[in-house]
Each structure stands twice: as structure tokens, then as C-alpha cells.
Amino acid sequence: MDNNTSPTPVVRKPRTKKSAPIIEEEIIEVEAIESPEETVTFKRSHFYSVLVVLAFAVGVLVGYVAWGRDTVVTVAAPAAAAQQPSGQVAEAPVTQQPQYRRYDIPIDGFPSLGPEDAKIVLVEFSDFQCPFCRKFHDETYQSLLDAYPGQIRFVYRNLPLTSIHPNAMPAAVASMCANDQNAYWDFHEKLFSSETLDEATYMKYATDLGLDVDTFTTCLSGGSHDAFIQEDMQFALDLGVQSTPTFFINGLAIVGAQPLSNFQQIIDKELAGEIP
């Protein structure tokens, strides 16, 4: 996921324990609480408990309005920030200078867009079946590149969450098979715009893009990219990444489908040389 100079900053790789299986989905979604047929009865003690919780929530909201506006959480360690469910924007009142920590994220040999000497190297660890990865792609990805023309090298690294997304690994393999025929980014775009991820879909996209279909088909079932993707996954786990999407901006971690403004805060500081 990758200072304000061309080369990628190099720091010692943090020693982290291998994490438990990645959790990418939101734990609570608005749709899950829509149940008009259910009724709820409160005991008096429950009522008082609810009042306490509401008072606390109001206090947090007031604190956010007073202190947290226009702040972004740049995590010191991916594992710490990733305790939030993937895709959720973790923001909190900031009362002191943020602590920055850079990670050495290799980028050679991975699909990338943008100048090789770009001042900003942005690495995304992502999953083609992840709804929050799609949210970033649909709402932020192109706007971010457009906001900094010629200044960002965008690198994509695979982190398919195989325990909850059965189609994520095959989609990652298909993208690498397209990469073999120099069509990675067009295929990448199609995968994130697709409502269906299966072999028939991959074959259709290969045909639409004018790929050698026989070569592509052999690649899909040949396992030639399996080890490459597994190594990508293991690197992320060893680093402490626990959710998708997770990004590294010149080695500075940012977790979740954050809005454009949060990426800009970090990038602008990087370009201005304000981050050590």
C-alpha cells in the first residue's frame, strides 16, 4: 500500500503476528434493522440504560462537531485501525499531533497505473467481490486520479477474502490472466462494474476485450497465478492488514472506503513535505 520524493520510502517491516481470518463486511447495516413487524418492550431499568447511552452518543457528537471536523485517521499500525469493520470510516476527535508510521510496501511486479517516478505511490489491497472496495472504486478512485494528474502511481495488490467471498479468488486469477495479455486495467474496470463474478462472465469480458480466448481459458484453470496471489495475501496478513480495502500512501496506512477528502488531506501534506 508506499515521502514526497520519487522513490518509495523504505522502513523496517513491522513485526506482527499473523492475524485471524480477515473480516471485511460491516457488522451492522441499516437494512438489517428494518423490521416493521417486530415490537420491543423496555423494562424501566432498560429505559434508564438507553437514556445513558443516548447521553453518551450526544456527547460524542458534540465532541466531533467541536474537534473532529476535517480530520482523518492515518493509522500507526494497520492491525490497530482494522479492528473497525472493513469499509467503515474510522474517525475520532484529534487532540494532539497525529503519529505517522511508514511501511515498506513493494510495488515492482504488481499492476500499476501512472508515472514510475510519481511523487505519490498509492497501493490498494483489495478484493473484487468486496462491496466497500467497489464503493471506493465507484465513488473515489477516478476522482482521486483526476485530482492529481501525473502525480499518483496507483498499484493494485490482491487480497481476496476467500472465507466470505467465494468468487474473489477466481476473479483475482482472471484479472492476472488478462494482465498476461496486457489488458489488466480494462479487465479490472469490468470486474468492479459487474454484478456477477463467474467463469462465464470472465470469458465474456475476455472476448469483449479481444483477448486470445484459448490462452485465457487455459490460464484460468492452469493455476499459474495462484501462488502469486497467495503470496500477496500472506504479505498483507503478515503486515497486519485485516480488512479491505486497505491503502498505503507512500507507506502511510489508511483503512476503509474513505471519501476523497480524506485521501487528499494525506496527499496534500505529503506533496508539501509536512509529514516526517
Side-chain angles (χ1 to χ4, degrees):
M1 273 213 354
D2 321 314
N3 223 307
N4 52 353
T5 59
S6 314
T8 304
V10 177
V11 300
R12 290 180 297 179
K13 179 180 177 181
R15 296 180 180 177
T16 59
K17 295 182 179 179
K18 292 183 180 180
S19 58
I22 307 171
I23 298 177
E24 174 274 337
E25 302 282 7
E26 281 188 305
I27 295 175
I28 300 177
E29 296 181 324
V30 173
E31 291 80 1
I33 61 175
E34 291 182 358
S35 183
E37 296 179 0
E38 294 183 1
T39 59
V40 180
T41 303
F42 288 101
K43 293 181 180 180
R44 185 185 301 272
S45 59
H46 292 170
F47 177 73
Y48 291 141
S49 298
V50 170
L51 287 181
V52 172
V53 172
L54 289 175
F56 175 76
V58 171
V60 171
L61 179 60
V62 172
Y64 170 76
V65 171
W67 300 103
R69 188 170 299 169
D70 296 328
T71 63
V72 60
V73 172
T74 303
V75 298
Q83 298 304 316
Q84 295 289 332
S86 176
Q88 292 179 327
V89 177
E91 295 195 16
V94 177
T95 57
Q96 59 184 8
Q97 289 297 320
Q99 299 298 310
Y100 296 102
R101 182 175 182 179
R102 296 185 189 271
Y103 293 85
D104 179 21
I105 313 296
I107 60 174
D108 291 339
F110 300 97
S112 68
L113 275 176
E116 293 187 0
D117 61 348
K119 293 183 177 181
I120 300 297
V121 176
L122 194 161
V123 181
E124 177 185 10
F125 285 88
S126 189
D127 170 324
F128 287 112
Q129 200 178 353
C130 157
F132 295 110
C133 299
R134 174 176 289 199
K135 177 181 175 66
F136 165 79
H137 182 270
D138 291 347
E139 299 179 6
T140 307
Y141 167 69
Q142 192 59 53
S143 297
L144 182 58
L145 297 182
D146 292 344
Y148 301 92
Q151 295 179 286
I152 294 178
R153 183 178 181 185
F154 185 90
V155 182
Y156 189 92
R157 296 191 57 168
N158 288 294
L159 184 53
L161 310 183
T162 55
S163 63
I164 56 175
H165 292 155
N167 298 322
M169 182 68 174
V173 170
S175 72
M176 298 311 300
C177 290
N179 187 55
D180 291 343
Q181 299 190 45
N182 301 314
Y184 178 83
W185 290 104
D186 288 336
F187 205 89
H188 175 277
E189 189 71 27
K190 285 183 174 294
L191 289 176
F192 271 129
S193 65
S194 179
E195 295 300 325
T196 304
L197 295 176
D198 56 23
E199 186 170 344
T201 300
Y202 310 146
M203 297 303 300
K204 180 181 184 305
Y205 292 161
T207 302
D208 292 345
L209 295 174
L211 305 186
D212 183 315
V213 174
D214 290 339
T215 300
F216 182 83
T217 302
T218 300
C219 178
L220 283 181
S221 59
S224 59
H225 294 296
D226 292 0
F228 177 82
I229 297 171
Q230 291 286 352
E231 289 171 2
D232 230 0
M233 297 166 64
Q234 193 60 54
F235 176 86
L237 290 173
D238 290 343
L239 193 65
V241 175
Q242 295 180 354
S243 59
T244 59
T246 293
F247 306 87
F248 291 86
I249 302 174
N250 286 0
L252 301 166
I254 177 170
V255 178
Q258 304 268 353
L260 175 62
S261 59
N262 287 5
F263 286 92
Q264 288 179 304
Q265 287 185 51
I266 298 176
I267 292 173
D268 290 346
K269 288 179 180 295
E270 272 290 278
L271 292 175
E274 297 176 4
I275 301 178

